[in-house]
Amino acid sequence: VSDASTHIPVLPAETLGALSPRAGEVYLDCTAGLGGHAAAVAASLGPGGTVVLCDLDAGNLARAESRVRGAFAGTVHAIHANFADAPDHLARLGLAADMVLADLGFASPQVDDPSRGLSFKRDGPLDMRLNPAAPISAADLIAETPERELADLIFEFGEDRHARRIARAIVEARRHGPITTTARLAEIVRGACPPSRGPGIDAATRTFQALRIAVNDELGSLERLLRRIASAGQELAAGRGGWLAPGARIAVISFHSLEDRPVKRCFADGVARGWAEALVRRAVTAGESETNANPRARSAKLRALRIAGGLGQSAV
Ligand SMILES: C[S@@+](CC[C@H](N)C(=O)[O-])C[C@H]1O[C@@H](n2cnc3c(N)ncnc32)[C@H](O)[C@@H]1O
């Protein structure tokens, strides 16, 4: 599934249902990835439609762009940026999005490529940056963060109850030399945790998640994007235009509770304040056939809302 042309996105039908693309509309894909969702949306936009692709990872952005361009006669823009800044790029292009999708996290080729340092299953440099031009790698973070902060980070972003022991073991190990590979870090983390009872998840999983979130400031970027959506929604409700078109549909797919919580809060707030209406009553999850075919879909949660104004559409 690493090949862009065969990659199947998560919750494809549910996402399309929530976004309900129409001919001639403008679609912003905040997390272009391998272009799976974007290609599916583009298929409904016709030659008058516009697809704006955004990704922090230039390699993924290029893959998504070539996939969409290969099958779509409309206009395509590719922006190599953090999605929190995508609204500024849209404004610069003079566009207002009718649909926005953020399918959070990483794509399989990023994890499968050992040189990215995202996986402990294959040894590689301890990097973890989705954008290789970002200033701090996971190895830098591990080398420089004081023990207490490291423990807080692993506890908060990894929700690992062994965070303190893990941080202590990392600090002890780094006294003997820099920790520069994923296999070395995984070995230190496993050594710090009590043996697991049965075939659960690998003891290193949560620490790796925590470091990836911290290195890429994933929750900070998500919060910034949600704030941009909320303020654009409020502006539209007050009759002022912006980077979102009246009636815009917004969908977010998250993969763990740290991501889902702020999305849920922002969307509930939009409905309560009257600048949006929910498009799905509760988070949509994948069915059994999808989770059997794609284990990553197991933790996927889709939330969607419609910004006030424009044509009506009721919740499903
Ligand atoms: C799960 S993949 C998206 C897959 C895509 N929906 C598809 O169907 O192929 C997530 C993508 O988001 C990108 N990404 C993660 N955080 C980002 C951010 N803050 N800004 C822009 N792109 C981001 C990653 O580099 C990755 O390519």
Side-chain angles (χ1 to χ4, degrees):
V1 293
S2 312
D3 175 9
S5 60
T6 56
H7 163 77
I8 299 165
V10 295
L11 296 166
E14 296 83 349
T15 305
L16 269 186
L19 294 174
S20 55
R22 291 184 277 255
E25 287 192 323
V26 176
Y27 169 61
L28 168 63
D29 194 320
C30 289
T31 50
L34 304 183
H37 285 113
V41 172
S44 303
L45 299 182
T50 301
V51 172
V52 182
L53 301 166
C54 171
D55 206 295
L56 267 182
D57 182 323
N60 276 0
L61 185 64
R63 284 186 181 99
E65 186 179 0
S66 86
R67 182 170 180 183
V68 173
R69 282 193 193 280
F72 175 57
T75 307
V76 181
H77 298 280
I79 51 180
H80 181 212
N82 190 312
F83 54 55
D85 301 318
D88 301 326
H89 290 270
L90 271 191
R92 212 165 297 136
L93 292 166
L95 294 171
D98 298 293
M99 292 159 287
V100 178
L101 172 66
D103 173 20
L104 302 171
F106 48 83
S108 44
Q110 292 170 313
V111 184
D112 295 343
D113 175 357
S115 75
R116 308 299 296 267
L118 285 161
S119 167
F120 49 81
K121 295 198 175 106
R122 300 202 217 167
D123 195 14
L126 193 53
D127 192 312
M128 296 197 185
R129 287 171 291 189
L130 293 179
N131 176 6
I136 305 279
S137 71
D140 299 329
L141 201 76
I142 284 284
E144 292 159 16
T145 311
E147 180 177 332
R148 177 80 190 268
E149 268 178 53
L150 206 50
D152 290 348
L153 186 156
I154 296 168
F155 185 72
E156 193 185 337
F157 297 156
E159 299 184 308
D160 194 323
R161 65 202 162 91
H162 302 306
R164 270 186 210 297
R165 299 169 179 226
I166 295 169
R168 199 175 316 128
I170 290 172
V171 168
E172 178 54 32
R174 77 187 181 194
R175 284 202 187 102
H176 304 288
I179 302 163
T180 55
T181 66
T182 58
R184 176 79 185 113
L185 178 64
E187 176 192 48
I188 295 164
V189 175
R190 289 185 196 120
C193 296
S196 90
R197 292 184 216 117
I201 56 167
D202 191 298
T205 305
R206 291 171 179 276
T207 298
F208 272 66
Q209 172 183 304
L211 290 171
R212 201 200 75 218
I213 290 175
V215 165
N216 295 294
D217 187 25
E218 292 182 20
L219 301 176
S221 300
L222 177 59
E223 285 286 359
R224 284 205 288 140
L225 175 66
L226 293 172
R227 277 203 296 274
R228 300 294 302 258
I229 291 169
S231 61
Q234 283 158 11
E235 289 290 305
L236 277 171
R240 289 185 289 271
W243 68 278
L244 285 180
R249 285 84 66 200
I250 317 281
V252 181
I253 302 172
S254 63
F255 291 88
H256 52 81
S257 56
L258 293 170
E259 288 172 345
D260 183 51
R261 244 175 265 148
V263 177
K264 184 178 175 186
R265 198 183 324 119
C266 169
F267 283 17
D269 189 62
V271 173
R273 288 172 190 263
W275 55 262
E277 73 181 66
L279 281 177
V280 291
R281 293 195 203 289
R282 60 179 74 87
V284 176
T285 53
E288 205 180 315
S289 61
E290 183 175 357
T291 53
N292 287 341
N294 177 8
R296 186 168 145 76
R298 251 176 241 154
S299 41
K301 274 189 178 171
L302 167 75
R303 294 189 187 273
L305 95 177
R306 183 180 161 280
I307 303 288
L311 294 171
Q313 185 189 352
S314 47
V316 289

